[in-house]
């Protein structure tokens, strides 16, 4: 059952021919920055944008990767760069609205989705800072302070970009749904449809021009205009008719990696004084939630997968219950625990990457789940991540 609807922004929610818009944007940005910086800064900006596009490191946000790359080109440091850039987005960027077209039916469609209980995500390629995305949403008739989106992906809050499937997995982990509970709608075959399909989402392709030509094996669940999509969901109950995509081995590594990014993203937002707080004496603190994830990855999750790969149809006993609240000593800063979890997860990913193709079907018998396979148990590891990511966010929320 679909629980989340991911919508692309440019040339989907907002009429915005990407090539024309980017050309105009870069021209105005270059002109603005040229008043304060030498030409090399614009060259550094382009290289930084490319670094963001190609990065596959879950430990750094896109913003961190951008500034690490552009830093050598900035004669006055980041602070000196941010001042004119902020002024550009305040005074100049709004002029680009003339290149875009509001689609009047879009707001009603989004409000209908939210009213029906769907989580709605603006899944726009996170090259731009939040201020630029908020303005384009306002141009689309979807002001961020009015429409309760579940998530808007930006340079600041994401670790991946399209067309990496990890981008979609990070979104799903952050909003707490599985890939077979989500659908992606967009105009771009390579950035929107193919990677979302490979991540296991349902898809609706809304190309803006020309005869749509699909590229097998990718097969969207629907093809048409965004107005067609709005009509299908509002008048024909189309979302309820979708068949979930099957679980495949190539979904696992992006899913486990995207989960790292989502967990680190949540950990970054925990105030230092909250790490050891408990909303209830019988509940874990935020640092204990992360400690459990690290310990489970090291002692349970990876060990279970190694057993299935090594033994013939092994019996998998349910692990002992984890330690209760305040029963173990945790570091004062939960960020170090989050990084330790990420390091353990990388060991698991390296192990899975070395498996022969046929290993994913190796059988096992679980004390609770019954007959299973290595593929199913690897996906269970990802589900375990998301269960405790939700717990982490809820615990922090109760403590604030």
């Amino acid at each position: 059952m679909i629980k989340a609807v991911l919508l692309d922004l440019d040339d989907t929610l907002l009429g915005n021919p990407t090539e024309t818009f980017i050309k105009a944007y870069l021209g105005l940005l270059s002109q603005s920055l040229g008043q304060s910086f030498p030409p090399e800064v614009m060259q550094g900006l382009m290289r930084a944008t490319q670094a963001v596009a190609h990065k596959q490191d879950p430990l750094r946000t896109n913003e961190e990767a951008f500034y690490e790359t552009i830093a050598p080109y900035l004669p006055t440091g980041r602070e000196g760069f941010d001042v004119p850039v902020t002024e550009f987005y305040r005074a100049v960027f709004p002029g680009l609205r003339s290149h875009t077209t509001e689609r009047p039916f879009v707001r009603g469609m989004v409000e209908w989705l939210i009213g029906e209980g769907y989580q709605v995500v603006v899944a726009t390629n996170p090259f731009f800072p939040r201020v630029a995305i908020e303005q384009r949403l306002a141009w689309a008739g979807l002001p961020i302070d009015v429409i309760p989106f579940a998530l808007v992906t930006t340079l600041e809050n994401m670790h991946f970009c399209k067309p990496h499937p990890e981008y979609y997995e990070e979104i799903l982990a952050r909003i707490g749904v599985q890939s077979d509970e989500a659908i992606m709608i967009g105009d771009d075959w390579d950035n929107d449809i193919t990677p979302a399909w490979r991540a296991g989402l349902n898809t609706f392709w809304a190309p803006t021009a020309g005869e749509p030509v699909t590229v097998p094996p990718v097969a969207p669940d629907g093809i048409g205009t965004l107005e067609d999509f709005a009509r299908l969901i509002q008048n024909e109950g189309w979302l309820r008719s979708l068949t979930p995509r099957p679980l495949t081995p190539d979904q696992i590594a992006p899913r486990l990696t995207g989960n790292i990014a989502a967990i680190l993203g949540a950990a970054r937002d925990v105030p230092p004084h909250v790490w050891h707080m408990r909303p209830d004496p019988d509940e874990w603190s935020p640092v204990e939630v992360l400690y459990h994830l690290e310990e489970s990855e090291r002692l349970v999750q990876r060990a279970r997968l190694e057993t299935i790969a090594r033994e013939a149809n092994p019996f998998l006993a349910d692990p002992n219950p984890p330690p209760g609240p305040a029963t173990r000593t945790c570091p004062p800063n939960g960020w170090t625990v989050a990084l330790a979890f990420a390091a353990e997860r990388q060991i698991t990913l390296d192990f899975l990457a070395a498996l022969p193709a046929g290993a994913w079907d190796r059988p096992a018998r679980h004390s609770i789940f019954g007959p299973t396979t290595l593929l199913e148990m690897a996906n269970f590891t990802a589900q375990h991540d998301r269960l405790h990511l939700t717990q982490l966010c809820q615990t922090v929320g109760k403590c604030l």
Side-chain angles (χ1 to χ4, degrees):
M1 181 178 71
I2 297 296
K3 297 180 180 178
V5 178
L6 283 58
L7 292 157
D8 177 51
L9 175 54
D10 296 300
D11 260 350
T12 301
L13 292 175
L14 175 69
N16 187 6
T18 303
E19 290 187 12
T20 301
F21 181 86
I22 293 298
K23 182 178 180 179
Y25 163 74
L26 290 176
L28 290 176
L29 182 60
S30 178
Q31 181 179 348
S32 295
L33 293 182
Q35 299 173 15
S36 305
F37 300 109
E40 290 77 15
V41 170
M42 197 65 191
Q43 179 185 0
L45 186 144
M46 298 305 296
R47 289 187 176 178
T49 302
Q50 287 299 311
V52 170
H54 295 295
K55 76 178 281 291
Q56 291 186 279
D57 174 14
L59 304 185
R60 297 178 301 154
T61 65
N62 291 342
E63 181 184 42
E64 289 170 334
F66 178 88
Y67 279 103
E68 286 175 14
T69 306
I70 200 174
Y73 297 87
L74 302 180
T76 58
R78 175 172 175 175
E79 184 176 343
F81 176 74
D82 283 349
V83 171
V85 169
T86 299
E87 179 62 15
F88 167 79
Y89 282 114
R90 186 196 69 81
V92 180
F93 189 81
L96 292 167
R97 182 173 187 170
S98 62
H99 292 275
T100 69
T101 305
E102 182 178 349
R103 295 174 170 172
F105 68 93
V106 160
R107 178 156 177 169
M109 178 191 73
V110 169
E111 291 179 333
W112 181 89
L113 284 165
I114 294 173
E116 290 294 307
Y118 295 101
Q119 295 192 69
V120 177
V121 174
V122 179
T124 182
N125 217 349
F127 294 123
F128 284 98
R130 183 176 180 86
V131 61
I133 294 170
E134 287 184 355
Q135 288 191 49
R136 299 209 309 285
L137 282 170
W139 303 344
L142 300 168
I144 197 74
D145 57 343
V146 175
I147 306 298
F149 292 113
L151 178 66
V152 177
T153 61
T154 71
L155 181 75
E156 295 90 344
N157 66 12
M158 294 298 290
H159 297 73
F160 301 101
C161 288
K162 302 175 184 179
H164 302 300
E166 290 88 348
Y167 165 81
Y168 292 95
E169 296 290 0
E170 181 177 2
I171 291 174
L172 299 182
R174 291 185 58 156
I175 64 174
V177 303
Q178 306 303 322
S179 60
D180 59 4
E181 298 173 328
I183 183 170
M184 174 65 192
I185 299 92
D187 68 293
D188 193 310
W189 178 263
D190 294 324
N191 281 322
D192 300 327
I193 304 306
T194 297
W197 184 89
R198 294 193 185 283
L201 285 75
N202 292 103
T203 54
F204 185 96
W205 186 26
T208 56
E211 183 69 22
V213 178
T214 61
V215 182
V218 179
D221 298 276
I223 302 176
T225 66
L226 190 63
E227 286 185 279
D228 292 333
F229 174 76
R231 174 182 53 78
L232 286 170
I233 63 173
Q234 293 176 269
N235 299 336
E236 300 181 24
W238 185 72
L239 291 177
R240 296 192 297 273
S241 71
L242 295 176
T243 300
R245 295 283 324 291
L247 177 65
T248 60
D250 58 0
Q251 295 170 13
I252 298 300
R255 188 159 300 155
L256 294 176
T257 305
N259 286 358
I260 298 175
I263 290 167
L264 292 180
R268 277 189 180 88
D269 293 335
V270 178
H273 71 279
V274 171
W275 278 118
H276 289 266
M277 293 177 64
R278 295 185 183 86
D280 184 276
D282 295 327
E283 295 183 21
W284 283 337
S285 65
V287 71
E288 287 173 322
V289 175
L290 290 175
Y291 196 97
H292 168 70
L293 279 169
E294 186 275 338
E295 188 176 62
S296 177
E297 185 74 14
R298 176 166 42 88
L299 301 178
V300 178
Q301 305 296 332
R302 184 167 65 247
R304 186 160 47 200
L305 299 176
E306 290 171 340
T307 298
I308 301 173
R310 182 179 62 248
E311 300 179 13
N313 197 23
F315 178 77
L316 306 174
D318 203 39
N320 294 326
T327 58
R328 53 189 166 191
T329 302
C330 296
N333 186 345
W335 180 248
T336 61
V337 183
L339 292 177
F341 162 73
E344 290 295 335
R345 170 54 53 82
Q346 188 57 56
I347 296 172
T348 303
L349 287 165
D350 292 342
F351 163 72
L352 293 174
L355 289 175
W360 293 100
D361 294 325
R362 289 184 64 85
R365 295 161 294 134
H366 194 278
S367 59
I368 295 178
F369 306 131
T372 186
T373 64
L374 192 149
L375 174 60
E376 288 180 348
M377 293 312 298
N379 193 55
F380 174 80
T381 296
Q383 293 174 336
H384 178 262
D385 290 344
R386 295 182 181 182
L387 172 69
H388 290 293
L389 174 59
T390 298
Q391 180 187 18
L392 173 65
C393 295
Q394 290 175 344
T395 300
V396 172
K398 292 176 185 178
C399 292
L400 294 177

